[in-house]
Amino acid sequence: MHTHKPARRHFLKLSTRLATLGLTGLGLGPGRSWFVADAEAATVVSDYKALVAVYLFGGNDCNNVIVPVDTARYTKYQQIRAGLTLQAGNLLPQIGDAAGNPYALHSSLVEVNALYGIGKAAFVLNTGQLEQPLTRTQYQSGVLAPSNLFSHSDQTLQAQTATSNQTIGGWGGRLLDAFSGNDTLAAVSVSSPAPFLQSGGGAPNVIPPGASLNLSGMNISPSSAAAARRAAVNAMLALDNGHPLRTAANDAFADGLQLADTLNNVGTVSNLATVFPGSGLGTQLREVMKLIRLRSQLGPGRQVFFCSMGGFDTHTNQVGNHNALLTELSQAMGAFYLASVETGLSNQVTTFTQSEFGRTLQPNGTGTDHAWGSHQIVVGGAVRGGIYGQMPDFTLGGLDDANDRGVWIPKISTSQFGATLGKWFGASPGELAVAFPNLGLFTTSDVGFML
Amino acid sequence: MNAPEIPPCFDARPLGRRRTRHRWTLAVLAAAVQFSYVSPAAAQATDATTAVHFLEQASFGPTALEVATVQAIGPPAWVQDQLTVPESPIPDGLDGTAVRAQVYLNMANGPDQLRQRAIFALSQTIVISANKVGGGPELTHWMRLLSRNAFGNFRTLLQDVSLSPTMGKYLDNVFNRRATSTTSPNENYARELLQLFSIGTWQLNNDGTQKVDGVGNPIPSYSQTTIAHFARALTGWTYAPLPGASHGNSNPENFLANLVPTSSASRHDTTAKTLLSGVITPAGLTAAGDLQWVLDNIFNHPNVPPFIATRLIRSLVTSNPSPEYVARVSAAFINNGAGVRGDLSAVFSAILLDPEALSPTAALHGRLKDPVLHVIGLGRALNAQIGDPGSFQNVFTNLSQRVLTPATVFSFYQPTAKIASNPSLFGPEFQLYPPALAVQRANFIYGILTNQYGSAFSVDMTPFRVVAGNPTALVDKVSATLMMGRMSPQLRQVILDATNAVPASDPNQRALGAVYLAAISSEYSVYTGGFTAGGVIPTDLQGPTGLYVAQVVGNIAMLRWNPPLLGPRPDGYILEGGLSAGQTMVAVPTGNQAPFFTVAAPNGSFYVRMRAYRGGAQSLPSNEVRLHINAALRPGAPTNVQGAIKGSALFLAWRNSYTGGTPDYLMLDVTGPATVSVPLPLSESWSLPGAPDGTWTFRLRAVNAAGASSQSGSVSVTAPSTTCALPRVPMNFTVNTGGNVVSLSWDTPSGGTPAAYYMLNVSGAFNGAFPITARNFASPAPPGTYNFSIRAVNACGVGPVTAYQTVTIP
C-alpha cells in the first residue's frame, strides 16, 4: 500500500460524497462502477504547483502581528493590550490596505513587510474554525460552534482538517485527492506527522531535513547476498499474520523504502545562491525547496508540504519570545520566497501560515491566553498582495468578542481560506466542496488573495 | 545470599508486611527460585509465551532472567514484588542532560522495571518537557515526583503536580494572579489539568465510551467558563523563598521545594468559583484552601477512572482495549478492594493482570513499540551494555522520542490517534512511525548492532557469530534471544534464505544480517501477545454487547450497547422485542451505526435485544434485557450511591435503575442525628449547601404508582468535613541566644492535622519568612533586635501563628 495510492484516495473521496448525501448510514456503499468512473474523473494537471503550510504550534498572537494604527483603533488596542502594546518603536513603517486604512507590522517581520511592499504577501484577517457563519449573539445562544474551542489539540486538528470530522483527513491531503498522478512525494511533512496531509491513501511522508532515507545494511558483498537481504526485507513486509497493527507497521516501512527509491531516482539539484537561515524553520523550508525542485523537474504534478514552528503558546513572557518567533518566521519565509524566484518557481509555489487559534487581546499578565480567530500570512508569486477580511472591533465584550477578553469570532472560515488556495491549486468547485464539506454554508469560497 | 534467605513461599501478604530484603533474591537467584520452593503461583507455572508477552507490557523488555522469574512465580507475584522494589534514584546535582541520561538508564537497567514503565506511561499523560524546563533541578524534581507517586494515590499525584515548581513553570501557574484591571488569570494550567491530566474533553462512561445526550451527541466535560473559574481558583502561588531570602509575591526560581502561596494573600482570587459537577467553592478561601477544592473536585469526577485507565492501558498493553477491559480497570481505580479510590498500584495491577493483557484473544490486541521501547527492549534481549547515551540522544530526537523532551504538552503522540491507513483502529504510536521514520528507526538499530555508539550501547554479537556456520542454528539462536523461541516459521524461512546467501566464510555478516532482519520485522516491532491471528479475525458480522436501558420517559425509552469489537463494521442495528424471553414480535432497524437508540414503545413489559446488520446479513443477538413501559411494577433501586462533604456542603450522586418499572420520583431516606425522608425529583444528584453537623447516612428509593423500590446501598458522611483542616499552632516555641547565635526550637502542634512543614517569620533587623521542615534552627545573626514567630503548614494551608519571641543580639 503506497501513500496517496489513487485507488484509496478516490475511494475516500466517494465515501465523503456519499456521506454528505447521508447515504453511508443506510448501507449503500460505493459500487465498483462508481469507483472506476470516479477514479477516471480525477483532474489531470498540465503544470506543477506546490502549497507549503507553515504551522505555528501553540496559537500565534495575531494581535501583535499586524496592528491598525489609525488613532481610533490604535487607542483601543493600546488600552486593552496594556503591557503587551507594540509601541511605535516595535512597529515597522505604515502600510495600507486597499481602502487606505493604515496598518503596521510587528518589527520582527522585516522580510514579510518587504514582500508586502512588492505585492507578494497578503494578510487574511480574523480567520479560523467555524461550522457556519456565526455572530456573538448566535454563539452565546448556543448556535453550532466548533467543538472544544480553545483546546490546543482539538483546534490543531480542526485547523488542519477544516472540519470536526476526524475521519476524512486533512484539507491538504483532501485537496491532493482532486488530482491524479500523486506519488510518494505528493504529501510531505518536514516536521512532525501532520493530520493536514492525511487522506484515505495512508500516512503522508515525513522527511526529517537532511536525513538519509536509504535503509542501512543493504550494501554487502557479494552482491547476491545483498540482493538476498533486500529480498528478505521485502518478504518480511508481507508477513503480518493477519494482524492489522502489523499490517500498518509493514505499510509504513514499505512506503519508507519506496520513498528512498523515489528520491534516489529523481536525481540531484544544484546548490542555490539563496542562503536559508539556520533556524528550525529555515532548515525545514530549505528541505522543502529541495523536494520541490526534485519533484518539479519530473513534470506536471501537485505537492503539499507541512512545516512547523513551536513555542507560540505565549502564556508568559510573551514580548521577548514573540519577537524571536516572528523573526525566525519572517526570515525563513523571506528566504524561501527568494529561493523560489531564483529557481523560477515563484508563481507555482504558495506559502501560508496556520495556527490553532489566536490569543486573547487582553493579557493575563506578561502573556496571553487561548482565543479563536487569527490573522494568517500568505506569500508567493501568485499571491494578490493586500489585506483581506476585517480587523475585529477592539472592544472587550463587543460584537466580535466571543466572551469578554478579546476572543475573536472568525469572519473567514478555515474552509474559505483553504478553498481560496485550492482554487489556485486547480481544484474545481465540485472538488472544493468535497475537500471542504461545510464550504457551502459560507457566502463566498474565494477570499480573493490569490491571482 | 544463601538459600535459606529465600522466602519459603510467595504468598499474598499485604504490601506493608513484605520484607524488602528478600527483594533482590528474585532477580539474582531466579533460577534457584525455580527449584527451591513451591508456591501456589509456581504450581501454576506460567508458560514462556505468556511470560514474554507479560514482560513486554510490564517492563522495558523481557530478559532471559526475568522470563525465568515470571515463569517461576507467575505474573501476580511478580507485580507484587515489583511494587516494593526500591526506586531507581535520580542522584543529586545532575544537570539537565545528565538527568535525561539517568532516566533513560533507569529504564534500561533499573531493577524497578514496573515502576520505570509506569513512570514512562505517567510522564506521557501528565507532561512536562525539557524544552522549557530542561535544567537539572527542574527535571530532578519532576522525575522524583513521578517515581515517588507511580504506585501511590492519584489524588496525591495531582496535588504534588499542582504544587510542583517544575509544572508551575512549564504551564505558567507559578505567578498566576487574580484578575487586575487589565489582566485575567492565566488559564494554561487550569485547562491542561482538566483536559490532559485528569478528565478529558468529553464525559465518559466507566468503560471509556463517550456519554451521549438525548439526541446522541457526546457531552462536553466542561466549558470555557469552567476553565476560567479553575484558573481563578489556582491563582496566588509563587516559588518557595530560597533559604534565608524574604518571601514575596514573585520569588526567584526554586526547584527544591513546592510552590507556596504568595506573601500577599490578595494575589489569590477569593471569590466563589463554580467547578465541575456544579460544585461551588465558598468565597474567602486561601490559595491553599481553594487548591484542595479543585483537586477534590477533579479527583471525584466520574471521568477520571476511565480516562486514566484508557491512557495507561494504551501505554502498557494494547492500543485497542475492549470497553469491558477499561471498565474493569476503572473499577480498580474507583475501589482498590479496600475502599480506596485512586490507588495507582491497584490500577497498574489491574491493567497487567487482566485476562485481556495476560491471555489476549482479540485479533487486534497489541501495540507498536515506541522508539524507546523498541531500542531499549532490543538491548535488554541482547544483554547489551547500555551506558550513558550521550550524543546519541539526538538519534532519539530524530525518531521523535527523546526521553523527557516531548515537543508539546500532548507528549510524543496523541493518545487518541487512529492509524491513518486503517482509521477503524487506534494506534497512537504510529504517529512516530511514518514511512521515513520507520526506515530511520531501522537504521538506528543497524547502527547499534554494528556497535557505532561505543560504550553508550555495546552489543556482543559473539553468541551469534559462533553458530553462524550453521544457518539453522543461527536463526534458532536469534529466535531464542529476541523472541524467546517464538519466531514464526514464515519469518524464520525468510531470514534463513538471506543467511544462506552470505558465504559461510563471513560469520560476522551472517550474524549481523539475521539479528538485524529479526529486530526490524513487524513480528518484533509490534507486540501482539503471541496471538496467532491467522484465520481468527472474524470475517462474519459480530453481535453487539452490553445492552442496557439508559432512560425511560413516558413511552420513550433509550437503549445503549457496545458495538462489536471485531469483524466487519455494522451498517446499523436492529432492535428486537417480544413479550417472552427470545420472542420477536417486532424488529426495528436503527438506520445508523450509533450504539444507542431511542424507541417509542407501547405500555407493557418486554424482552428486548439488539442485532447488528450489514447489507443483508444479521449478527447473533446481544444480551437480552427487560424493558418496562408504564408497567405496574415497582422500580428497581438506585445504585452506585456516593456522597461527600466539602466544607459544610453535602453532595450526593447516584444512578437510577430501569430494571423495574419507570421511577416517577425518588425518596431520600436520611438517618443520623435526625431521621427524615425527603422526596426528590427524578435526578441523579443532590446537594445541600449547609449540612448540619453530625454523621449522616443516606439511602435512596425509587417510587412510582406501583410503589417504592427497595432501598439502595447507603453512603455515610460526616459534617463538618475533616478531610481538609489547617494544622494547629506549634507548641513550646522558644528562642535563645548564645553570643551572636540565635537558636529556635518548637514542638509539633498538639493534635489536629499534622504539619507538612513550618513557616518561620522574622521581622526587625531582618525581615523574611521561609519554610523549614526541621523543628529547630540556629544561626549567627548580626547585631539587632529580631522578632520570630512560627506557623505550621499543611496541604490545606497555613495554621495560626505563635506569639512573637523577641531577642536582641548586642
Side-chain angles (χ1 to χ4, degrees):
Chain A
M1 199 270 327
H2 298 137
T3 303
H4 302 136
K5 195 178 199 172
R8 292 288 295 271
R9 298 185 78 88
H10 288 97
F11 180 88
L12 178 92
K13 184 161 76 170
L14 192 62
S15 303
T16 308
R17 286 179 182 167
L18 290 174
T20 58
L21 297 172
L23 290 180
T24 47
L26 301 179
L28 299 178
R32 179 142 189 92
S33 59
W34 290 44
F35 166 81
V36 173
D38 190 71
E40 288 168 355
T43 304
V44 178
V45 293
S46 58
D47 57 358
Y48 170 85
K49 283 181 179 175
L51 279 173
V52 183
V54 176
Y55 195 87
L56 311 177
F57 277 106
N60 179 31
D61 181 35
C62 65
N63 296 309
N64 276 8
V65 166
I66 176 168
V67 179
V69 291
D70 53 282
T71 308
R73 290 195 290 178
Y74 186 76
T75 303
K76 293 174 93 173
Y77 160 83
Q78 198 171 21
Q79 280 166 353
I80 300 171
R81 273 262 127 164
L84 295 183
T85 298
L86 292 177
Q87 307 290 352
N90 304 112
L91 289 168
L92 294 171
Q94 271 186 25
I95 57 175
D97 65 8
N101 297 308
Y103 291 88
L105 302 186
H106 189 289
S107 58
S108 292
L109 295 169
V110 177
E111 294 78 9
V112 173
N113 197 53
L115 290 173
Y116 186 87
I118 60 169
K120 302 302 180 190
F123 292 90
V124 185
L125 302 182
N126 196 13
T127 172
Q129 284 73 261
L130 283 175
E131 295 287 331
Q132 59 188 55
L134 200 64
T135 65
R136 174 182 166 89
T137 310
Q138 287 172 326
Y139 172 68
Q140 294 193 328
S141 68
V143 170
L144 190 62
S147 59
N148 293 315
L149 281 170
F150 320 119
S151 148
H152 285 294
S153 54
D154 293 272
Q155 296 312 303
T156 295
L157 207 55
Q158 292 178 29
Q160 296 190 23
T161 59
T163 166
S164 52
N165 178 0
Q166 287 187 36
T167 60
I168 65 170
W171 60 266
R174 296 201 307 273
L175 274 178
L176 280 174
D177 287 346
F179 305 100
S180 65
N182 294 318
D183 56 26
T184 49
L185 289 177
V188 176
S189 169
V190 292
S191 165
S192 48
F196 176 70
L197 298 175
Q198 282 172 2
S199 78
N205 272 309
V206 175
I207 301 180
S212 164
L213 296 176
N214 294 320
L215 181 63
S216 296
M218 294 296 113
N219 296 319
I220 58 172
S221 63
S223 59
S224 58
R229 187 173 289 174
R230 177 63 191 247
V233 171
N234 292 341
M236 274 184 353
L237 293 176
L239 299 179
D240 59 19
N241 208 17
H243 196 290
L245 297 182
R246 287 186 58 189
T247 310
N250 288 341
D251 285 351
F253 205 119
D255 282 351
L257 295 175
Q258 184 179 345
L259 175 65
D261 288 348
T262 304
L263 286 174
N264 290 335
N265 289 336
V266 296
T268 55
V269 290
S270 58
N271 289 331
L272 289 178
T274 303
V275 176
F276 280 85
S279 62
L281 185 62
T283 310
Q284 291 177 31
L285 283 172
R286 188 177 61 189
E287 184 77 20
V288 169
M289 185 50 69
K290 186 180 112 188
L291 294 168
I292 285 176
R293 295 170 72 201
L294 285 170
R295 174 61 189 82
S296 63
Q297 67 192 17
L298 296 179
R302 291 290 181 268
Q303 283 185 292
V304 180
F305 292 94
F306 182 85
C307 315
S308 71
M309 289 175 62
F312 284 87
D313 196 18
T314 48
H315 285 280
T316 53
N317 303 323
Q318 175 171 308
V319 171
N321 290 335
H322 206 224
N323 284 350
L325 290 165
L326 294 183
T327 299
E328 178 177 339
L329 175 69
S330 180
Q331 289 179 348
M333 288 184 86
F336 187 75
Y337 178 77
L338 290 181
S340 73
V341 172
E342 183 183 347
T343 54
L345 292 165
S346 62
N347 292 336
Q348 289 149 275
V349 178
T350 302
T351 311
F352 59 95
T353 61
Q354 281 282 282
S355 190
E356 56 262 44
F357 38 61
R359 307 193 74 79
T360 55
L361 185 63
Q362 183 197 53
N364 62 24
T366 61
T368 50
D369 289 319
H370 305 178
W372 191 353
S374 185
H375 314 324
Q376 305 301 342
I377 304 170
V378 188
V379 168
V383 170
R384 183 183 283 128
I387 297 170
Y388 296 83
Q390 195 183 338
M391 184 61 77
D393 170 26
F394 292 162
T395 302
L396 299 185
L399 285 179
D400 289 331
D401 191 354
N403 49 47
D404 54 5
R405 295 190 59 196
V407 173
W408 311 133
I409 301 170
K411 286 284 185 286
I412 297 172
S413 72
T414 305
S415 291
Q416 292 170 283
F417 180 85
T420 306
L421 292 167
K423 182 182 172 192
W424 168 78
F425 214 37
S428 68
E431 287 160 342
L432 289 176
V434 172
F436 301 97
N438 64 2
L439 186 61
L441 299 174
F442 299 93
T443 50
T444 175
S445 60
D446 185 351
V447 181
F449 57 82
M450 296 302 293
L451 291 171
Chain B
M1 183 63 57
N2 298 317
E5 285 286 308
I6 298 169
C9 82
F10 251 79
D11 58 21
R13 280 175 294 163
L15 286 183
R17 289 179 49 213
R18 297 188 64 84
R19 288 166 297 166
T20 54
R21 66 196 171 94
H22 291 306
R23 149 122 11 296
W24 62 277
T25 61
L26 272 185
V28 176
L29 296 177
V33 167
Q34 289 185 73
F35 302 111
S36 63
Y37 69 89
V38 175
S39 71
Q44 332 156 355
T46 305
D47 67 89
T49 298
T50 300
V52 168
H53 181 55
F54 169 74
L55 286 166
E56 279 171 336
Q57 300 166 345
S59 73
F60 274 89
T63 63
L65 206 55
E66 292 286 12
V67 171
T69 307
V70 172
Q71 282 195 257
I73 67 174
W78 191 88
V79 168
Q80 280 298 305
D81 187 63
Q82 282 282 311
L83 290 176
T84 60
V85 174
E87 299 172 40
S88 291
I90 305 289
D92 285 331
L94 301 183
D95 67 20
T97 302
V99 175
R100 285 188 282 181
Q102 186 63 49
V103 169
Y104 164 88
L105 289 172
N106 289 348
M107 290 171 170
N109 302 326
D112 55 341
Q113 279 289 299
L114 178 56
R115 184 182 298 273
Q116 293 304 318
R117 192 68 195 268
I119 292 170
F120 191 50
L122 290 170
S123 72
Q124 295 184 58
T125 304
I126 301 178
V127 180
I128 58 101
S129 172
N131 285 338
K132 182 169 176 183
V133 284
E138 283 111 305
L139 294 177
T140 299
H141 174 92
W142 186 252
M143 285 315 296
R144 288 176 176 174
L145 187 165
L146 289 185
S147 180
R148 178 174 77 239
N149 285 296
F151 301 144
N153 193 285
F154 190 74
R155 171 68 172 76
T156 311
L157 174 63
L158 277 186
Q159 172 150 325
D160 284 1
V161 165
S162 298
L163 291 176
S164 160
T166 308
M167 180 58 82
K169 180 177 175 182
Y170 185 61
L171 291 182
D172 306 312
N173 208 56
V174 62
F175 297 132
N176 187 16
R177 61 183 297 188
R178 77 170 188 191
T180 66
S181 61
T182 55
T183 67
S184 292
N186 193 311
E187 295 172 354
N188 202 14
Y189 182 64
R191 181 182 309 283
E192 309 310 2
L193 176 63
L194 292 177
Q195 181 185 334
L196 300 177
F197 303 165
S198 61
I199 68 169
T201 48
W202 300 108
Q203 292 188 27
L204 302 176
N205 297 301
N206 260 346
D207 65 4
T209 57
Q210 287 178 355
K211 290 182 182 173
V212 291
D213 62 17
V215 291
N217 290 320
I219 310 165
S221 302
Y222 50 80
S223 69
Q224 172 58 25
T225 306
T226 322
I227 298 293
H229 282 240
F230 272 87
R232 285 165 42 201
L234 291 165
T235 50
W237 295 91
T238 183
Y239 294 109
L242 296 167
S246 62
H247 177 38
N249 291 328
S250 302
N251 295 331
E253 289 187 353
N254 176 0
F255 298 100
L256 299 177
N258 280 343
L259 301 182
V260 295
T262 50
S263 64
S264 164
S266 66
R267 289 290 176 113
H268 177 67
D269 182 327
T270 56
T271 58
K273 298 104 190 166
T274 303
L275 306 180
L276 302 167
S277 319
V279 170
I280 299 174
T281 67
L285 291 182
T286 61
D290 264 343
L291 178 64
Q292 298 311 312
W293 277 75
V294 162
L295 296 176
D296 283 341
N297 181 246
I298 293 172
F299 180 63
N300 290 305
H301 191 278
N303 264 33
V304 176
F307 184 83
I308 295 298
T310 306
R311 299 265 162 145
L312 297 180
I313 289 171
R314 286 224 171 96
S315 188
L316 266 59
V317 174
T318 177
S319 301
N320 294 280
S322 71
E324 293 79 11
Y325 181 17
V326 174
R328 289 190 292 270
V329 176
S330 292
F333 188 107
I334 292 166
N335 184 342
N336 68 349
V340 176
R341 181 183 178 93
D343 177 355
L344 290 171
S345 69
V347 171
F348 282 114
S349 299
I351 289 171
L352 293 168
L353 301 177
D354 193 274
E356 191 162 323
L358 286 175
S359 355
T361 53
L364 41 66
H365 172 88
R367 69 192 290 282
L368 174 71
K369 292 175 185 171
D370 298 45
V372 165
L373 278 175
H374 195 163
V375 170
I376 289 181
L378 177 66
R380 287 171 59 85
L382 292 172
N383 200 23
Q385 299 300 307
I386 300 179
D388 188 323
S391 63
F392 100 150
Q393 289 271 39
N394 71 354
V395 187
F396 281 110
T397 302
N398 287 345
L399 295 179
S400 301
Q401 196 174 52
R402 179 172 179 178
V403 294
L404 276 181
T405 319
T408 72
V409 70
F410 307 102
S411 191
F412 302 110
Y413 41 75
Q414 282 277 359
T416 52
K418 307 270 179 98
I419 298 175
S421 60
N422 190 351
S424 63
L425 293 181
F426 288 101
E429 311 77 25
F430 279 90
Q431 288 175 282
L432 305 189
Y433 209 65
L437 293 192
V439 175
Q440 298 275 296
R441 197 191 291 191
N443 290 350
F444 185 26
I445 287 170
Y446 189 78
I448 286 171
L449 296 176
T450 52
N451 278 309
Q452 290 174 21
Y453 301 106
S455 62
F457 210 116
S458 170
V459 178
D460 181 7
M461 297 292 281
T462 309
F464 303 100
R465 222 161 27 231
V466 297
V467 296
N470 179 344
T472 306
L474 173 61
V475 180
D476 283 346
K477 177 74 180 168
V478 173
S479 173
T481 308
L482 294 191
M483 301 170 176
M484 303 301 153
R486 300 181 308 153
M487 188 185 287
S488 69
Q490 296 89 341
L491 181 60
R492 192 183 145 81
Q493 190 59 49
V494 166
I495 297 179
L496 259 183
D497 291 347
T499 305
N500 280 318
V502 179
S505 58
D506 192 351
N508 287 347
Q509 201 54 258
R510 277 190 168 182
L512 175 62
V515 176
Y516 179 46
L517 290 171
I520 66 174
S521 70
S522 64
E523 199 164 315
Y524 189 71
S525 65
V526 179
Y527 59 74
T528 61
F531 180 71
T532 305
V536 180
I537 294 180
T539 53
D540 54 332
L541 191 60
Q542 303 293 296
T545 59
L547 175 67
Y548 70 98
V549 180
Q551 201 178 20
V552 178
V553 177
N555 287 70
I556 310 294
M558 183 180 219
L559 301 165
R560 294 203 66 210
W561 60 90
N562 299 319
L565 186 64
L566 296 175
R569 191 169 179 193
D571 296 330
Y573 299 88
I574 297 170
L575 169 66
E576 285 182 2
L579 288 170
S580 58
Q583 185 189 33
T584 302
M585 296 174 67
V586 291
V588 187
T590 66
N592 61 53
Q593 300 174 328
F596 51 84
F597 189 53
T598 302
V599 62
N603 293 351
S605 289
F606 308 97
Y607 292 81
V608 298
R609 66 208 81 89
M610 303 299 304
R611 292 178 194 266
Y613 70 86
R614 178 183 170 86
Q618 289 187 14
S619 74
L620 292 171
S622 70
N623 59 309
E624 185 172 80
V625 297
R626 298 300 305 274
L627 174 61
H628 303 286
I629 302 291
N630 296 325
L633 275 179
R634 288 192 298 172
T639 60
N640 198 26
V641 184
Q642 298 178 320
I645 292 279
K646 301 293 173 188
S648 62
L650 163 72
F651 300 92
L652 295 178
W654 61 89
R655 273 291 168 72
N656 292 320
S657 164
Y658 294 89
T659 53
T662 303
D664 288 338
Y665 65 97
L666 303 170
M667 190 65 79
L668 178 65
D669 298 329
V670 186
T671 58
T675 299
V676 63
S677 288
V678 185
L680 299 179
L682 191 63
S683 61
E684 295 197 325
S685 66
W686 184 70
S687 64
L688 185 65
D693 287 359
T695 296
W696 300 91
T697 299
F698 301 93
R699 293 177 179 83
L700 285 146
R701 288 174 291 155
V703 186
N704 67 11
S709 71
S710 56
Q711 279 186 327
S712 70
S714 69
V715 64
S716 295
V717 299
T718 299
S721 166
T722 55
T723 55
C724 189
L726 293 176
R728 296 177 186 171
V729 67
M731 305 293 283
N732 303 325
F733 179 44
T734 56
V735 181
N736 292 304
T737 56
N740 69 338
V741 174
V742 181
S743 301
L744 312 166
S745 70
W746 60 93
D747 290 335
T748 55
S750 171
T753 317
Y757 62 95
Y758 300 90
M759 188 66 79
L760 176 63
N761 281 61
V762 191
S763 63
F766 174 85
N767 289 292
F770 49 96
I772 181 168
T773 52
R775 281 183 284 106
N776 55 70
F777 177 77
S779 174
T785 297
Y786 299 87
N787 303 308
F788 294 98
S789 66
I790 195 84
R791 291 177 293 175
V793 185
N794 69 10
C796 288
V798 180
V801 67
T802 60
Y804 279 101
Q805 302 275 351
T806 302
V807 295
T808 300
I809 301 292

